[in-house]
Structures are given as C-alpha cells and as structure tokens.
Amino acid sequence: NNFEEVELFNGKLNMTEYMVDTHRGRLEVSLPAENESLETRFLMLRKKDVDISSNKDYQGNALPTISKSNIRLHSQDLSQDLYGEVVADKSGIGFNNIRIGASFFGDHHRDVEHTYYIPVSMDDWQKDTLTKHFTLGFGVTNNLDAIGEWINFDFDTIADVDLFTSMQVDFLVTATNNNGRVLCGVDGQLIQEFKLEYYYEHRNKENTILEQVLIGQNLNQGLCGQGVYGSHTDYIGGSAALLSLQDRSFKQGDKILTYLKVTTFAAYKRLLIPYDLTFQITATLFKQGAFQQVVGITTAVETEDEGVMIYECLERLAQHYIGKNTAFKSDYYGRTDLGYASDGDGAMRVIMKGINLRGIGIDQIFEQGDQQISGKIFLQWTSFFKSLMAMEGVSFGFETDAATGEKIVRVERLEYFYDTSQLIELTSVTGLIKKVHKDGYFSTIKAGYNKWFGQKEKGSLQEYNSERQYFSGITELDTEKDAMSDLIAGAYAIESTRRLQIGSFSQDSEYDENIFIIQVIRATEGDTVDWLSESNQDLTSITNVVDPIGVYNIKLTPARILRRLGKILASNFVNLSTLDISGFLRFSSAKGNHFVTSQLSTETQIVDEDADINMSQFTPIWINELYEFEYPLTLAELKTIKQSPLKIIKFTDNNGNVFYGFILEIAMDMRSPGKSKSEFKLLRAYE
C-alpha cells in the first residue's frame, strides 16, 4: 500500500517559496523539512546485515539480550548406497615367485601347506557412498588381519550386501633343480591340492570376525608332472560368485572385507635330489556383471545444538533497524511464552547455521589450525523475509500498536493486510477505468527450496523437501511465480550436516554458512533443552520415506507451501464473469522424492507431493482486476483512510454501480479538500 506523503502541521514555518491564491483564500508553501519516519528508517536499512546476537542497534544504542534456544535434534535414518564395479577387465599378479621350499638329501617325507590372501574390491564407485577405504589393487599377504577393509561404517547401519563377482584365476607352477626326478604317484606331487576360496567377512572395530561367509570356491587335486608346469585356469564357483545378505546390522566402526584365500598343500615322498619350487597366480576381474553393493540405513545419536526462533530473529532485525525495544509484533510467529494468547501457525520454527548444527554455539569461535570459524548468525531483512514469504505466505507492514500507541513492524499472513471489513464509502466517482491485473496471473509456479541436497549429495533421490513445479493452465502468458526459499529444510541436509559434529569428525561441511530452518516442539518440563526437533508427533500417516518415525520438517513440504499460498494463488482461477473458482494447479515436474504422501492430525485430507491441487478449496483475497478513478477527497476521509489503509473501500460510479477494492495507490490532491480530485488505484476485492 503506497501513499504520497501528506502531513498536516500547525506552527511557524521558515518559508522558502510561497504563493497566495486570492481566489480560494489559500497560501501554498514549499519548505525544507526533515521528517525521517520509522517506516523510512526501516526501509532504508533493511538490506543491512545484522549480527542477531548483538546487543546494539544501528546507532550503537543498547538492546536487550536476544533469547537463544537449545534444541535437541533427533536422529533420522539415512539411506546411503555404495555401489562399485569394474570399469574394464582388471588383472593383477597376486603371487609371484612364491617358494614352496627346497628339498634336501635324505628328505623322505614331509607335508607342506601355505596360505595366502588377496584382497578383492572394485575400482569405480558411485555417489551416496558409505566411507570407502579400499579399491582394487592386487597384492598378497599371509596375515589375514592385514587385509584392508572395503567399508568402514561411520554410523550404526542396517544394510543389505550384494556381491556378484566374475573372476578368473590363472596360476603357473615352475620347478627348478628338479632334473625330471620328481614324478607323480609314488614319487609324490609338487602340489597335491590347490584350493581357492572367496570370502566375505564382517568385523568389529576390534577386528573380531562377527560373520564369515564363503561366497565361492574351487578345489584342484593332484597337480603333478615334471620340469615346468604350464598355466591352469580356475573359476571361482564356476563362472561367477554371488552373495546376497539381507538386513545385516553394523555398528559404528564395523567393517567389511572381501578376499581370496589361496591354500596349497603337498606331501613329498622319496625326494632324493635337491629342488626348488615356485609358482605365480594372476587373478582377473571381468567388467561384465561384476559389482559389489551395500544399501544401508544409517542412524546416529541425538545432538544438542543452539539456534534462534524465527520470532526472535525478526524482532531483533526490527529493533536494530528502528532503534527501539518495542518495535515488532506477529501473531503468526508469536508464542504463549512471549505473552501471546496462543502459538501462531509459524511459531514453532527455529533457524541455525550449518556450523551451529555441527555443535558450535552462536557466540562461539572454533579454531582449526590457523583458521577461525564463527558460529554467529548474520541476517538481513530483505533476503531472510523473501524466503519466509515464499514458504509461509507472510508479509509485513507498519501500524500503530493499540497498547503502546507506538509505530511497530507487523508480520502476518498476507490476508491480514487485506482487511475485508469496509473502511469508507466513496460516492459518484468519476473517470472509472477497469483493467486486467496482468501481474497477478502466472502460467507456472515453482515451490520448495533452492538448496536441499545432503552433504556430498547424500539422499538426492530420497529428499522430499526439494523442488516442485506446477502449471496453472494459462497458455497465453509465459510468466513464472517463484515460491522458492533459500532456507534449507531438507531432512537429508539437516541430518548429514548434524552428524559432522566438530571435534568428532574431521570432514568439512559444505553448508557451514547456510541457514537451516527446523520445525520444533516444546521440551518437557525439567528437560535440559528448550526445544525438541519435531518428527512424527503430529503425523497420522506417511508413505515412501526411508524413516517414517524420524522425519524432519514434514510441515514444510512443497505441497504444504502451496496450500499456505492457496488464497494468493486462487486469484489466478477466478472467472471474472461468474466469480467462480475452478481449475487445478497441475503437477508438472519435481526434483528429489515427490512420491511422499502424508497427513497431519490437523488436516482433513492426505497431502500428496506430486498430485494436482484443486483450487476451488481456496477463497481468494482479491480478483485480478484494477479500478482507477478520481474522487474529491475531504480531510475527514483522508484521516479515516490513513488510520486504516488496509480495509476495503466501497465506491459507486455515477450510475450507482457498487464496487469494492483494496488500496494500491492514492495520488492525493488536497489543495482544495472536497473539490480537487485525488487519483485512486484499487485492486478488486473478492466479494
């Protein structure tokens, strides 16, 4: 609502220019005047960044200490997938010139057994990985404990493990100094048994074997001959080995390893001449079909972190810009503990930076090497409020507080600023023009969040607080309504960042300076924290999520954002001739998990994240039509309008037709009140 500034003064003036109108008996004066109002000061400063924990206003004057909140954040299960495959056929020498041992004169009989291990893994890994420590690199060890882990679990995990490995093992046996004297049969065998076994193992952090599974094996008997032995090809389990383990439980620090166990055994008899025996093994993994995969559901302990409720954030910004302690009011974000009669619909929301999610307090500085990381939160009204407008449908204005008589900043849902009660009636307006309010129409709408991936893009397929796009059905216009928020409400972003607690993890976070928003509930009396992150406490049903119990921010999903904006969007669907509201906001595309359905205890129907929205359920605030006319405003009418500019103006034209509208602009001409005509521009009210 924009007005040209009109002030009425009594007193003495230092006139710089004046004109006497003798016909009307008026004196018109121009003079320099300095009148920085609360509104002007606020609007001039609203792009200024503010440390919301600072106790000073824009002039350095003292402000009360802001109330910070301690929040206990629950654990939401995360789905994390590790998938590895062979990029190209991969060969490596596992054994090379391994000595079985040399005989000696008089050595009539001895049994010789050797065991070796070759670690097996893949050489290409896809996204959403659990921690990966080991890739393909053929080597050999006779110490099983020295085998490198394939996966080391960072968090408690319930996982399915699938291995499919197409593997060929070639070996070459060479006998030197044999002189053709060691033969099969009664003379013994160079290698009596050659056994290949492919194992999966699950170990705890103390390296104790918790589970060992033989995936595939091959046993060869009686390899004998004289001189140099040729190459022999062995397949593990025929042509491939397959393992599928379901619902395996892993604790933090547990690990998985996969390896080949190679065992050779020989019983040597009547060896009269010294000899030496070596052999070589080459293993090949084939590209076709070879993979190793873990699909895990991980969980982590709760954490306690520091944030600031949205009400306190907005109040501190208003206090800083205006320079007064009592400068703000909002029923929508207000709470009973602040003196409001009830908790507003948006009251239970807290914000914090990524670094706060990781355990750094708002006034704390974390030192890492020569780097200092601050937990302070800096906000500016313009960008912060733009995100709130997108996801909540709120707006702000200035009004006189009834209790104190002082001007304040007021934040409420947009319909608050379109008061449907009648303010005044203007009769016989002239020059009435009706126009279509084109800016009120849109062809597409994007709703949701600009940032929603988890750390390192974890959960990119499962995240529901992501992005949606809808089509209104209007093809004549190519306009887009943007209801995208820069705040992060994504459950995977919250949970994967929360797990990177400073002090226990060395990983960097990509969201340290970003602002998160989290729905909370009050902690129980006597608890050590102020708030608890809300999960499923208000849910009656939910489908197609990884963790239906530990969900975050289900009240902030994109489909619910559109329903909060319903009264605003409904004007797009009003038939101007019949005033009927009809039509659907058609779902057209989405990113992330748009298959979620859910219902809160306060909702009468299930909310489907990829369903069309029937707009007839919403009553619009206005109709996309503009009224422009002229009217000789009196001083009394001017005073009435200035006292309550948000209410509806009723007016009639010269033919007695009745209209209703909200004030958009008034160009006031008060040179001759009641005679000179002011110009009005109104937005048609929905009747």
Side-chain angles (χ1 to χ4, degrees), residues 47-66:
K47 292 185 179 181
K48 179 180 180 292
D49 287 338
V50 176
D51 172 7
I52 61 171
S53 60
S54 171
N55 295 335
K56 296 182 179 180
D57 66 15
Y58 77 105
Q59 292 182 321
N61 299 318
L63 292 174
T65 301
I66 194 170

Side-chain angles (χ1 to χ4, degrees), residues 370-657:
D370 58 354
Q371 185 181 10
Q372 288 189 337
I373 302 174
S374 173
K376 288 184 177 297
I377 298 176
F378 287 86
L379 297 176
Q380 62 162 253
W381 185 278
T382 299
S383 59
F384 181 53
F385 201 81
K386 180 177 180 293
S387 289
L388 295 181
M389 289 174 63
M391 61 186 294
E392 305 270 31
V394 293
S395 187
F396 76 93
F398 306 95
E399 67 181 32
T400 302
D401 185 66
T404 64
E406 296 182 343
K407 277 288 186 71
I408 60 170
V409 179
R410 186 73 183 255
V411 171
E412 303 294 350
R413 291 286 299 273
L414 186 64
E415 52 262 38
Y416 173 87
F417 300 98
Y418 289 84
D419 189 341
T420 55
S421 58
Q422 182 177 318
L423 170 64
I424 196 172
E425 181 175 353
L426 309 178
T427 58
S428 300
V429 304
T430 58
L432 177 62
I433 299 174
K434 298 180 184 179
K435 296 180 179 180
V436 174
H437 183 40
K438 292 183 178 180
D439 292 343
Y441 288 100
F442 60 91
S443 55
T444 60
I445 180 170
K446 288 174 63 177
Y449 303 90
N450 289 314
K451 295 181 181 180
W452 51 273
F453 288 102
Q455 296 286 340
K456 310 302 181 186
E457 298 193 355
K458 282 185 174 65
S460 57
L461 297 179
Q462 294 86 12
E463 180 55 58
Y464 46 85
N465 278 341
S466 46
E467 178 183 325
R468 310 281 184 273
Q469 184 163 304
Y470 292 77
F471 175 58
S472 70
I474 298 177
T475 58
E476 291 80 3
L477 294 176
D478 185 19
T479 56
E480 179 181 273
K481 185 172 182 63
D482 185 354
M484 299 292 292
S485 175
D486 286 332
L487 300 176
I488 300 177
Y492 274 78
I494 292 170
E495 179 67 11
S496 60
T497 301
R498 185 187 72 84
R499 294 186 183 192
L500 300 179
Q501 290 290 297
I502 296 292
S504 59
F505 284 89
S506 59
Q507 296 102 315
D508 292 329
S509 164
E510 55 192 296
Y511 292 140
D512 277 353
E513 295 303 316
N514 292 109
I515 304 295
F516 289 77
I517 183 170
I518 299 174
Q519 184 79 23
V520 297
I521 58 176
R522 284 187 173 86
T524 57
E525 186 177 352
D527 206 331
T528 58
V529 295
D530 306 306
W531 306 92
L532 308 175
S533 54
E534 185 176 69
S535 52
N536 67 335
Q537 289 91 344
D538 202 21
L539 272 173
T540 57
S541 70
I542 189 166
T543 64
N544 298 323
V545 294
V546 172
D547 181 6
I549 296 176
V551 290
Y552 269 94
N553 287 341
I554 204 68
K555 291 179 179 176
L556 304 180
T557 64
R560 288 184 171 84
I561 287 176
L562 289 172
R563 283 159 175 78
R564 281 194 287 272
L565 300 179
K567 286 179 172 290
I568 302 170
L569 304 179
S571 61
N572 211 67
F573 296 85
V574 176
N575 186 317
L576 291 178
S577 59
T578 64
L579 300 187
D580 293 331
I581 302 109
S582 62
F584 287 81
L585 202 55
R586 301 290 183 184
F587 174 82
S588 58
S589 66
K591 296 180 181 179
N593 181 6
H594 54 92
F595 304 106
V596 174
T597 68
S598 59
Q599 186 173 7
L600 301 169
S601 62
T602 54
E603 295 171 335
T604 58
Q605 58 185 353
I606 292 175
V607 175
D608 191 338
E609 291 298 317
D610 61 3
D612 299 339
I613 299 176
N614 188 344
M615 298 306 294
S616 65
Q617 64 184 299
F618 303 108
T619 301
I621 305 169
W622 64 77
I623 298 173
N624 287 326
E625 191 171 62
L626 300 176
Y627 297 138
E628 296 180 2
F629 58 84
E630 295 179 339
Y631 180 78
L633 204 60
T634 66
L635 288 175
E637 290 168 334
L638 170 61
K639 183 177 180 181
T640 299
I641 290 173
K642 293 195 70 175
Q643 287 176 339
S644 303
L646 306 180
K647 295 183 178 181
I648 284 179
I649 288 184
K650 176 183 178 181
F651 66 94
T652 58
D653 61 15
N654 288 328
N655 297 320
N657 297 311

Side-chain angles (χ1 to χ4, degrees), residues 139-152:
V140 62
T141 177
N142 55 14
N143 178 10
L144 180 58
D145 291 343
I147 293 288
E149 65 265 20
W150 168 34
I151 299 174
N152 189 305

